[in-house]
Amino acid sequence: MLRWVRQQLGFDPPHQSDTRTIYIANRFPQHGHYVPQKFADNRIISSKYTVWNFVPKNLFEQFRRVANFYFLIIFLVQLMIDTPTSPITSGLPLFFVITVTAIKQGYEDWLRHKADNEVNGAPVYVVRSGGLVKTRSKNIRVGDIVRVAKDETFPVDLVLLSSDRVDGSCHVTTASLDGETNLKTHVAVPETAVLQSVANLDKLVAVIECQQPEADLYRFVGRITISQQTEEIVRPLGPETLLLRGARLKNTKEIFGVAVYTGMETKMALNYKSKSQKRSAVEKSMNSFLIIYLIILLFEAILSTILKYAWQAEEKWDEPWYNEKTEHERNSSKILRFISDFLAFLVLYNFIIPISLYVTVEMQKFLGSFFIGWDLDLYHKETNQRAQVNTSDLNEELGQVEYVFTDKTGTLTENEMQFRECSINGIKYQEVNGKLTPEGCSEDSPDGNRHSLMKEEELFLKAVCLCHTVQINADQTDGADGPWHANGIASPLEYYASSPDEKALVEAASRVGVVFTGTSGDSMEVKSLGKPERYKLLHVLEFDPNRRRMSVIVESPSGEKLLFTKGAESSILPRSKSGEIDKTRIHVDEFALKGLRTLCVAYRRFTPEEYQEIGKRLHEARTALQQREERLADVFNFIERDLELLGATGVEDKLQEKVQETIEALRLAGIKVWVLTGDKHETAVSVSLSCGHFHRTMNILELVQHKSDSTCAEQLRQLAKRIKEDHVIQHGLVVDGTSLSLALREHEKLFMEVCKNCSAVLCCRMAPLQKAKVVRLLKTSPEKPITLAIGDGANDVSMIQEAHVGIGIMGKEGRQAVRNSDYAIARFKFLSKLLFVHGHFYYIRIATLVQYFFYKNVCFITPQFLYQFFCLFSQQTLYDSVYLTLYNICFTSLPVLIYSLFEQHVHPHVLQSKPVLYRDISKNAHLGFKPFLYWTILGFFHAFVFFYGSYLLMGEDTSLLGNGQMFGNWTFGTLVFTVMVITVTMKMALETHFWTWINHFVTWGSIVFYFIFSLFYGGIIWPFLHTQDMYFVFVQLLSSGSAWFAIILIVVACLFIDVVKKVLYRHLQPTSTEKAQMYSNRVALSDEFIALQPLSRARNQLSKISLLRQVQVSTAWTPCAASRMGKQHAHLLEECWND
């Protein structure tokens, strides 16, 4: 416990060194100097709170909010000094808000605790004392040997010791970690692979030295030292030997592994990345408004205090005969009395700050986010995937997007690769009916016959079949004969690969005669035109983004050592010394112009001496514990040189459905689209043209292949000049990764100027971090535009996290993008519905919600301020304490909440078909200073009408009751409060365009509830109330006809000007949105309209109307989404109108 406390305080860092030493089966050295290292236990903790810290931690987090902390201060002031209102008036709403939020957060955390306990209590088998012992997952310690059976998930991060296979290999799927469903092969070191029984493993004496835990799933550096009799054998350990917690064992009966990282130090736990908190523009506006209202509050309190003392300067008002001061009051300090009075006025006016605003906004965001998941238009039937909301805090930000940054592969395209062309030895080939046909030859030409492959063609196809990470379906390789006895295979082999490119190439090779039939141990088997050949796999030089290539070193059946390499042409061609380099480069450019993805293939032969040198260097680099990556990179560069070029491949990635329409719609909405891709320049430009990102009429500007700052700056200046000269023409800009780095280094301002004047920007050859830098550049520019990034792969994660709104595509490149995104959709085309409909609705709803909250609180508190002029600033309250408490909680809370969930000011189909309407809400148009000023002035105006209207109508003649009884101050205050509740509720009704039965219920129900509550509250003597000033007040008020007349007159007077203003503006200066509303209203149908039609047409119309009514009933609960039925509704409306 003490060590944990020291760690939390930072006095005792958990890892003192860069490496950890693990004794397998916890056989520690016997000498006395050894001090065991301390490791974390295997408990997973995803919860935020414990039983002990929930209350203090949750309260601390909630009181960090300005409004909550402010009301806490007010509540404490009410407890400490004599204030005009009871502490309950501030304490109860604060308690309600804090309690609701705490219950919500506590419930969510309880669910996390429940999930944690289920995981930590899962049964596992551990080798101890020479046998298998069943225990719970949380009891596993670092160094324990763990057994995992087929289809089980790994409970810790394990180094593989052995499996049921002789070669010590096993297959796993990491779908729960990175979403990749392909089978990955992991291999044990040879010395432990033979230990397949518990008894043999129990005798193992070995030590593992490895790096301390880190989050990178694909990086592991370590070595194992095995003691065998008198010698010690050292073997390198890398990612291929590490089995990650959360991965699942496949196609292997059982494995044994030693635990190296446990609990919160496993790579899965370290990837529980707490994303940086993104705040929406609406939330920032809300905080600004709170500060302005806080200033108004302070001004009112100070003014009231000063006026009180100014009034009391006259002796007759300072101490009237009916309110003489005590001796203590006469002798008290004037400064203390001033402060006390100031605080009392602060308490009196404190409700101008809407405490329930935060909790209402949270509920609106949380409940509103469900509509995205329920929207059938965002459901992809083929993959059975619906839209997913990972954070509800940014719903309204979807309606404010100004820049969209999109990946290309898998986002704009299907990421389903189809082999189209290849270049072998300077000759272009196409696949025609399962034959590799040279360009210009007919289909039945003997040159294209698969049984007469030339030597160069066969070598090229073998390179494609051997240099990859493709796996074969286990059902086809688990036969008794093994994968290399393939003569009897009746059906084509089913391949799995993490890269769709590799799968497409291996499948294409198999169709034209060179078939990869599987692996066994360290052997790879291919069948060339029916003849099996076995290649021994010696080394794999893994792909990495910096090298942009991968290689394998194999031993051919003749004993020759060969290196096969494939990768981007920029990484292969400069390293090639022979082959048809120039012709291949031309062919690669031609493939790219057609929009094909290109790879170059090369090979190298090694002499025995060269191979011996390579083997030695690789072993040294792979067993290094320090700077292993850098040393491996140097060795890989040493090996992958002096290559002989074999050829290149061209693979087509088809565009997704409706990509062109979506990009055009985004452009009409005023959103600029940037495509950020790692693809080749020509390929990227070709796809941009085909998807409508670039138009054929657009002037394409290029900033590519610059090596120095000076040339880059000069080119930028020329581009800026061209844009100014041709300001009428639309421009598109193409930038590559190297030029971008130079531009961002010294010429950021000039680069931004060029980009902002271009309609579309394409960045090619981009590294993942460069994508994030570009997003950050736009995000932090002086205009501070709202950015959205969308992608499907792990290389898009940094971009997605950097943008204001991150959207993941549920594609074929894993789930990392989806896991790290704010929203996830199955296809790019769904982006238009997400922004133009959901984003539009969410923004309008929450903008109105925020403004309305401030408006109704100005209406609420301003009469209280005005009343002080009539009571000599004695701090007498106008309203009863119960009304003060329940105004925001009960009487006016539900109508605005229901509005913020269901409002549709324009039909969803109209919003989606007219993207230009999106411009009406851009740049936070509805939460700017002008709308805020309008709502605030309207609130003050209504408050003045409430107060002075009631005063003029009833204040002079107080004897308005039939029995001659007089109205008192509580009756006057109740009249003002009644008028106010009805007016602010009716104001919400005026703002509502889309009425459902729920809106009617809560709107009229709120008014009815107020009347019923007031009758009960004032009609009964409640024994638990200390005083009951309101007894029979409300009943007396309602018994006066004059009071009813005053209520109706004042409500009409308040709302009349608002209605006139709306009508005039709508007809004289309508916005695009208001025109769309009028268009929607015109196509509304009625039974009278049907009755005027001929009988045959009337029948047809009536059948459509009956269908419409069914549609309306079925879509009543999903008004935020233009579902398929909603579209049908709109089409029927238009069709009926046209008829």
Side-chain angles (χ1 to χ4, degrees):
M1 181 66 183
L2 182 62
R3 177 174 170 268
W4 182 84
V5 172
R6 286 175 61 83
Q7 280 184 19
Q8 301 307 306
L9 296 174
F11 298 130
D12 184 20
H15 305 307
Q16 301 286 357
S17 65
D18 293 332
T19 61
R20 57 169 52 188
T21 304
I22 300 158
Y23 291 86
I24 293 180
N26 292 306
R27 289 193 178 84
F28 302 116
Q30 298 304 311
H31 54 76
H33 299 294
Y34 174 71
V35 178
Q37 286 179 275
K38 300 288 185 181
F39 301 117
D41 60 30
N42 198 38
R43 286 182 302 152
I44 286 290
I45 302 170
S46 63
S47 54
K48 194 176 181 180
Y49 307 106
T50 66
V51 174
W52 309 109
N53 72 9
F54 175 73
V55 173
K57 192 172 181 180
N58 187 266
L59 287 177
F60 172 73
E61 288 174 351
Q62 292 207 57
F63 284 120
R64 284 164 65 185
R65 283 183 165 173
V66 177
N68 289 350
F69 184 71
Y70 161 78
F71 269 87
L72 177 65
I73 297 297
I74 293 293
F75 176 64
L76 294 175
V77 167
Q78 286 178 294
L79 291 175
M80 289 187 289
I81 66 171
D82 183 24
T83 56
T85 58
S86 163
I88 294 173
T89 58
S90 293
L92 191 61
L94 178 65
F95 177 76
F96 172 75
V97 169
I98 296 294
T99 304
V100 168
T101 308
I103 289 170
K104 172 181 170 283
Q105 294 178 349
Y107 173 70
E108 289 174 350
D109 206 61
W110 175 75
L111 292 177
R112 286 192 285 266
H113 271 284
K114 191 176 175 184
D116 289 346
N117 291 336
E118 193 175 324
V119 170
N120 295 330
V124 293
Y125 287 92
V126 178
V127 177
R128 285 181 187 159
S129 305
L132 274 179
V133 178
K134 187 177 181 180
T135 184
R136 293 181 182 275
S137 174
K138 63 182 178 182
N139 298 327
I140 298 175
R141 300 167 298 173
V142 170
D144 280 344
I145 299 175
V146 182
R147 191 204 77 169
V148 180
K150 184 179 179 181
D151 292 328
E152 290 181 353
T153 55
F154 300 115
V156 288
D157 286 354
L158 301 165
V159 165
L160 180 61
L161 294 177
S162 66
S163 72
D164 64 321
R165 300 183 179 184
V166 179
D167 58 359
S169 67
C170 70
H171 296 296
V172 304
T173 175
T174 56
S176 61
L177 296 174
D178 57 14
E180 294 180 4
T181 54
N182 60 296
L183 298 180
K184 295 183 173 70
T185 305
H186 292 258
V187 187
V189 298
E191 285 73 20
T192 63
V194 295
L195 306 175
Q196 294 180 309
S197 66
V198 173
N200 290 336
L201 284 166
D202 194 50
K203 297 173 187 174
L204 175 64
V205 179
V207 180
I208 291 175
E209 293 172 272
C210 62
Q211 63 187 157
Q212 294 291 6
E214 66 168 37
D216 191 340
L217 294 174
Y218 309 106
R219 185 174 183 270
F220 177 65
V221 178
R223 65 184 174 211
I224 183 170
T225 305
I226 304 156
S227 300
Q228 287 189 349
Q229 297 169 357
T230 57
E231 64 174 339
E232 289 188 343
I233 301 170
V234 180
R235 294 287 185 188
L237 299 175
E240 72 283 351
T241 60
L242 186 69
L243 305 171
L244 300 178
R245 177 173 192 148
R248 189 179 292 273
L249 185 65
K250 290 286 186 182
N251 294 356
T252 311
K253 186 179 176 184
E254 66 176 10
I255 63 99
F256 289 94
V258 60
V260 286
Y261 304 131
T262 50
M264 297 308 292
E265 293 182 343
T266 58
K267 289 185 180 288
M268 182 180 78
L270 293 174
N271 274 277
Y272 292 154
K273 190 173 186 297
S274 56
K275 289 182 279 191
S276 58
Q277 191 65 33
K278 294 181 180 180
R279 293 173 66 223
S280 69
V282 169
E283 192 177 340
K284 292 170 188 171
S285 299
M286 202 162 70
N287 290 339
S288 304
F289 297 161
L290 276 173
I291 291 168
I292 292 171
Y293 271 67
L294 198 58
I295 293 168
I296 293 173
L297 168 66
L298 292 171
F299 171 75
E300 287 184 349
I302 292 169
L303 180 64
S304 298
T305 310
I306 293 170
L307 289 174
K308 176 178 180 176
Y309 282 92
W311 216 305
Q312 289 180 353
E314 294 183 48
E315 192 173 338
K316 65 174 182 176
W317 298 125
D318 182 38
E319 195 174 351
W321 59 268
Y322 55 83
N323 192 18
E324 290 185 5
K325 293 180 181 178
T326 63
E327 195 66 31
H328 175 72
E329 286 175 333
R330 288 194 188 99
N331 297 329
S332 62
S333 166
K334 288 186 177 180
I335 295 173
L336 287 176
R337 270 190 291 158
F338 185 90
I339 293 171
S340 177
D341 284 329
F342 168 72
L343 291 174
F345 280 117
L346 208 62
V347 168
L348 192 64
Y349 306 146
N350 78 83
F351 281 96
I352 198 171
I353 305 295
I355 186 174
S356 54
L357 173 60
Y358 278 120
V359 73
T360 308
V361 166
E362 270 199 16
M363 289 173 69
Q364 189 270 345
K365 289 184 174 184
F366 175 70
L367 296 174
S369 63
F370 286 107
F371 291 126
I372 292 178
W374 291 340
D375 189 352
L376 292 178
D377 279 351
L378 301 182
Y379 170 72
H380 192 241
K381 190 175 180 181
E382 287 76 8
T383 55
N384 191 29
Q385 290 171 328
R386 59 178 67 239
Q388 183 178 315
V389 179
N390 296 330
T391 174
S392 58
D393 293 337
L394 302 170
N395 292 343
E396 65 277 8
E397 205 82 329
L398 293 169
Q400 294 296 293
V401 175
E402 295 170 64
Y403 282 86
V404 168
F405 298 92
T406 174
D407 177 41
K408 183 183 75 68
T409 306
T411 304
L412 300 179
T413 61
E414 288 283 5
N415 204 10
E416 281 185 2
M417 308 301 174
Q418 291 184 340
F419 175 80
R420 289 296 180 219
E421 295 183 68
C422 65
S423 170
I424 304 174
N425 200 30
I427 301 171
K428 276 206 292 186
Y429 292 82
Q430 291 180 328
E431 184 191 353
V432 180
N433 296 330
K435 300 177 182 179
L436 208 57
T437 308
E439 190 176 47
C441 295
S442 61
E443 290 185 25
D444 55 353
S445 168
D447 290 339
N449 194 299
R450 65 191 303 175
H451 298 293
S452 58
L453 290 174
M454 292 190 293
K455 182 183 174 184
E456 294 84 0
E457 296 170 350
E458 190 174 358
L459 185 59
F460 174 85
L461 293 171
K462 283 180 181 177
V464 167
C465 281
L466 293 170
C467 186
H468 57 71
T469 58
V470 174
Q471 301 289 331
I472 293 179
N473 186 352
D475 296 334
Q476 296 177 319
T477 61
D478 282 349
D481 293 335
W484 45 87
H485 292 287
N487 295 329
I489 292 179
S491 60
L493 291 166
E494 188 177 352
Y495 296 111
Y496 293 100
S498 55
S499 164
D501 298 75
E502 286 189 338
K503 183 183 176 188
L505 292 174
V506 172
E507 286 176 342
S510 69
R511 288 195 297 271
V512 296
V514 181
V515 185
F516 169 63
T517 55
T519 59
S520 175
D522 58 359
S523 295
M524 299 180 76
E525 179 73 13
V526 297
K527 262 203 314 178
S528 179
L529 301 177
K531 178 185 174 186
E533 294 179 9
R534 185 182 297 181
Y535 288 80
K536 186 177 181 182
L537 182 62
L538 302 173
H539 297 285
V540 178
L541 281 55
E542 296 83 4
F543 174 86
D544 68 66
N546 297 322
R547 285 169 43 245
R548 298 182 64 82
R549 59 184 180 271
M550 79 157 289
S551 303
V552 293
I553 301 175
V554 296
E555 183 180 324
S556 68
S558 62
E560 198 173 14
K561 306 292 193 298
L562 300 172
L563 169 81
F564 289 113
T565 303
K566 77 166 188 294
E569 90 291 338
S570 59
S571 66
I572 299 291
L573 295 180
R575 296 182 163 272
S576 301
K577 68 169 186 178
S578 60
E580 297 289 349
I581 297 172
D582 293 333
K583 286 184 179 178
T584 304
R585 183 178 280 113
I586 293 168
H587 291 164
V588 165
D589 291 341
E590 288 175 2
F591 295 163
L593 285 171
K594 296 177 184 177
L596 303 181
R597 291 165 60 88
T598 59
L599 287 173
C600 287
V601 182
Y603 85 113
R604 177 185 174 186
R605 287 185 167 88
F606 294 123
T607 63
E609 294 77 17
E610 285 176 331
Y611 177 72
Q612 192 174 358
E613 172 70 12
I614 286 167
K616 182 182 172 185
R617 288 196 180 201
L618 275 173
H619 181 74
E620 288 174 357
R622 282 180 166 153
T623 53
L625 286 180
Q626 304 297 329
Q627 297 181 318
R628 182 182 289 186
E629 282 85 358
E630 292 83 352
R631 294 174 71 172
L632 276 174
D634 291 340
V635 176
F636 289 174
N637 285 329
F638 172 74
I639 296 170
E640 295 166 331
R641 60 191 175 91
D642 300 334
L643 302 174
E644 185 175 336
L645 187 64
L646 290 172
T649 61
V651 176
E652 182 186 28
D653 190 4
K654 283 196 282 188
L655 281 178
Q656 286 188 18
E657 185 187 2
K658 293 188 178 177
V659 165
Q660 193 164 354
E661 293 91 330
T662 305
I663 289 177
E664 185 57 35
L666 291 172
R667 190 176 282 117
L668 287 172
I671 298 171
K672 289 190 175 181
V673 181
W674 288 34
V675 176
L676 312 181
T677 177
D679 266 356
K680 195 174 182 293
H681 169 209
E682 291 83 2
T683 306
V685 171
S686 175
V687 173
S688 280
L689 285 166
S690 62
C691 72
H693 179 235
F694 283 166
H695 285 299
R696 298 287 173 186
T697 56
M698 198 179 275
N699 184 18
I700 308 295
L701 310 174
E702 292 190 348
L703 184 69
V704 293
Q705 295 180 352
H706 289 284
K707 305 295 183 190
S708 67
D709 280 338
S710 57
T711 59
C712 183
E714 180 58 32
Q715 179 68 4
L716 277 170
R717 280 189 282 271
Q718 287 182 11
L719 293 178
K721 186 179 176 184
R722 280 184 64 185
I723 290 171
K724 284 180 183 176
E725 290 171 355
D726 303 333
H727 60 277
V728 180
I729 306 171
Q730 281 193 331
H731 299 279
L733 178 67
V734 184
V735 193
D736 64 7
T738 53
S739 303
L740 182 72
S741 299
L742 295 170
L744 296 185
R745 193 183 304 160
E746 298 289 339
H747 318 290
E748 191 175 293
K749 192 174 179 182
L750 185 58
F751 176 68
M752 284 304 302
E753 185 187 334
V754 171
C755 288
K756 286 179 180 176
N757 288 316
C758 291
S759 304
V761 178
L762 169 65
C763 300
C764 53
R765 287 294 188 225
M766 296 281 284
L769 284 178
Q770 280 184 312
K771 292 184 178 184
K773 279 182 183 176
V774 170
V775 176
R776 191 182 308 121
L777 183 68
L778 261 294
K779 197 169 113 176
T780 56
S781 63
E783 294 82 5
K784 297 283 190 295
I786 303 299
T787 57
L788 179 147
I790 179 168
D792 72 318
N795 60 332
D796 302 315
V797 168
S798 54
M799 170 177 80
I800 285 170
Q801 289 182 330
E802 184 62 47
H804 290 96
V805 182
I807 297 185
I809 296 282
M810 302 169 188
K812 297 180 174 64
E813 289 194 15
R815 287 291 184 273
Q816 277 185 306
V818 171
R819 287 207 328 269
N820 288 279
S821 65
D822 303 306
Y823 302 89
I825 52 179
R827 286 294 180 269
F828 183 79
K829 66 177 180 179
F830 295 153
L831 186 63
S832 61
K833 178 73 182 288
L834 195 65
L835 299 185
F836 302 152
V837 179
H838 291 284
H840 201 118
F841 283 156
Y842 284 134
Y843 177 74
I844 290 292
R845 291 165 184 167
I846 203 162
T848 306
L849 182 150
V850 171
Q851 310 264 33
Y852 176 79
F853 250 94
F854 285 108
Y855 152 79
K856 73 186 179 79
N857 277 42
V858 168
C859 290
F860 182 38
I861 254 8
T862 305
Q864 185 88 274
F865 172 69
L866 297 173
Y867 185 59
Q868 297 309 302
F869 288 88
F870 293 84
C871 67
L872 290 184
F873 296 91
S874 61
Q875 297 149 10
Q876 168 65 37
T877 178
L878 179 62
Y879 314 121
D880 183 70
S881 294
V882 171
Y883 286 161
L884 280 171
T885 306
L886 298 183
Y887 176 75
N888 276 319
I889 294 177
C890 295
F891 299 146
T892 60
S893 59
L894 278 179
V896 66
L897 177 62
I898 296 303
Y899 169 92
S900 67
L901 290 174
F902 296 132
E903 172 62 359
Q904 288 185 23
H905 60 301
V906 182
H907 195 281
H909 181 61
V910 175
L911 282 179
Q912 196 165 3
S913 61
K914 296 183 182 296
V916 72
L917 296 178
Y918 192 81
R919 294 172 184 252
D920 283 0
I921 60 167
S922 62
K923 298 188 184 298
N924 207 11
H926 288 251
L927 271 178
F929 184 70
K930 282 186 179 178
F932 168 71
L933 195 64
Y934 164 74
W935 279 92
T936 302
I937 292 172
L938 185 69
F940 279 115
F941 168 72
H942 282 181
F944 273 78
V945 175
F946 299 155
F947 186 83
Y948 287 108
S950 300
Y951 181 76
L952 291 172
L953 289 171
M954 311 200 69
E956 295 298 323
D957 184 4
T958 54
S959 179
L960 288 177
L961 293 174
N963 58 7
Q965 285 184 316
M966 296 174 67
F967 277 4
N969 67 311
W970 292 116
T971 311
F972 177 73
T974 305
L975 175 63
V976 173
F977 192 83
T978 303
V979 169
M980 178 174 57
V981 168
I982 295 172
T983 304
V984 298
T985 306
M986 293 296 293
K987 172 62 180 168
M988 188 75 263
L990 282 177
E991 294 299 315
T992 304
H993 295 90
F994 186 82
W995 284 88
T996 65
W997 67 266
I998 306 174
N999 295 80
H1000 284 290
F1001 179 77
V1002 297
T1003 301
W1004 315 122
S1006 292
I1007 297 173
V1008 171
F1009 172 75
Y1010 164 70
F1011 277 88
I1012 293 172
F1013 173 84
S1014 298
L1015 287 170
F1016 270 91
Y1017 172 56
I1020 300 171
I1021 296 177
W1022 300 98
F1024 53 83
L1025 292 178
H1026 179 61
T1027 59
Q1028 198 161 346
D1029 299 321
M1030 294 296 294
Y1031 180 66
F1032 230 63
V1033 168
F1034 198 69
V1035 177
Q1036 279 190 330
L1037 180 70
L1038 295 186
S1039 66
S1040 168
S1042 303
W1044 282 103
F1045 174 74
I1047 291 169
I1048 295 168
L1049 189 64
I1050 295 169
V1051 170
V1052 171
C1054 283
L1055 297 177
F1056 178 73
I1057 295 175
D1058 201 38
V1059 171
V1060 169
K1061 178 248 176 192
K1062 280 180 177 288
V1063 171
L1064 288 176
Y1065 266 84
R1066 184 173 286 261
H1067 284 84
L1068 299 177
Q1069 285 184 316
T1071 63
S1072 302
T1073 303
E1074 286 168 343
K1075 289 175 184 175
Q1077 288 171 344
M1078 288 188 278
Y1079 168 76
S1080 298
N1081 292 336
R1082 285 196 191 105
V1083 294
L1085 292 167
S1086 65
D1087 291 337
E1088 289 81 1
F1089 176 76
I1090 300 298
L1092 298 174
Q1093 308 300 310
L1095 184 60
S1096 59
R1097 185 182 291 180
R1099 283 200 193 107
N1100 185 31
Q1101 298 283 17
L1102 285 169
S1103 65
K1104 289 177 181 176
I1105 291 298
S1106 65
L1107 177 58
L1108 276 174
R1109 285 172 177 160
Q1110 292 172 21
V1111 170
Q1112 286 171 333
V1113 170
S1114 65
T1115 57
W1117 275 90
T1118 57
C1120 73
S1123 63
R1124 290 192 175 87
M1125 300 195 81
K1127 281 186 180 173
Q1128 191 179 8
H1129 181 183
H1131 285 312
L1132 284 170
L1133 283 172
E1134 291 185 36
E1135 194 179 332
C1136 291
W1137 179 254
N1138 292 333
D1139 287 345

